[in-house]
Amino acid sequence: MADAGKAAGGGAMGEAAPKHERTAAAMGDIGGKVQDFASHPCIPVIARVAIFIFSLLSWSIMASTGVFGAPTVFQLVVGILIWIFSILWLVVEVATLQDVSLPGITGSIVFNHIEIISDFIFAYLAFGSAASVAGVTDALCSSLPGLSVSGSFCAKLIASNCFMWFTWLVQVIPCAIFTIPAIAKAGQSESATVMRAALNTR
């Protein structure tokens, strides 16, 4: 009876192991396809173009409202800053795609650190500005009858904020590219926490 129990247990474990391996293989295939897509040389250019267009639409529509409170000015300034930096990174990405060398510190460690820091900062600023304007929009426009009128203040406010949310969404992509590989690698380590492994904390 004991031998039969051991055999049954061994069979169950044997069935579970291939299932686990099949799941791991399927996840690996999905990860490989995602990596193949993300490694396309045009993807960084497309992301920077999207940030450029969305931020331009956001701040230009906000500027056309003519009404500037603290949240709207905050979003206007954030949109302009993101737009200016998006031009810089777009030029760098297009030059890299075309294999054109740029003068200055492009491709250096310092320049890469600037890219990482600016992407993280602008992602947080975009989220904060979009959230603040969303609160103002909910408070003001829910009681104003001109919401559906084309060109009205509320319609412009909502449109500007929608494009800022789109900007934030695309702006998060570089941040995820920077952090996800480090976190995935840290998850395989035997450190006390994933954060300590990702940051290489002693």
Side-chain angles (χ1 to χ4, degrees):
M1 294 292 292
D3 293 339
K6 291 180 180 180
M13 292 181 63
E15 293 177 359
K19 184 177 181 181
H20 176 73
E21 292 175 359
R22 288 195 300 270
T23 303
M27 293 298 293
D29 292 339
I30 294 174
K33 292 178 181 179
V34 172
Q35 187 174 5
D36 291 340
F37 174 78
S39 62
H40 193 281
C42 291
I43 294 298
V45 177
I46 294 173
R48 296 300 179 184
V49 168
I51 294 172
F52 171 83
I53 294 175
F54 291 149
S55 60
L56 174 62
L57 289 172
S58 177
W59 74 258
S60 59
I61 293 173
M62 183 63 73
S64 69
T65 62
V67 180
F68 304 110
T72 54
V73 170
F74 178 42
Q75 185 169 104
L76 179 63
V77 172
V78 170
I80 292 174
L81 289 175
I82 293 176
W83 177 67
I84 292 173
F85 270 79
S86 70
I87 296 174
L88 169 64
W89 301 126
L90 181 58
V91 169
V92 173
E93 292 293 353
V94 172
T96 303
L97 181 65
Q98 299 296 325
D99 197 18
V100 177
S101 60
L102 295 175
I105 58 175
T106 55
S108 65
I109 295 177
V110 174
F111 196 79
N112 291 340
H113 286 176
I114 294 174
E115 180 183 3
I116 294 172
I117 293 171
S118 65
D119 280 334
F120 271 98
I121 290 175
F122 287 134
Y124 281 114
L125 290 177
F127 180 85
S129 66
S132 63
V133 172
V136 172
T137 304
D138 183 64
L140 292 178
C141 298
S142 59
S143 59
L144 293 180
L147 177 60
S148 61
V149 179
S150 177
S152 68
F153 170 72
C154 282
K156 291 182 178 180
L157 203 64
I158 293 172
S160 173
N161 207 36
C162 285
F163 285 118
M164 181 55 71
W165 280 117
F166 292 150
T167 302
W168 168 78
L169 184 63
V170 184
Q171 191 76 50
V172 166
I173 293 175
C175 301
I177 292 173
F178 296 144
T179 56
I180 288 177
I183 294 175
K185 183 178 179 181
Q188 303 299 324
S189 67
E190 297 180 355
S191 300
T193 62
V194 173
M195 181 178 291
R196 287 182 173 275
L199 299 176
N200 198 20
T201 306
R202 296 179 181 176

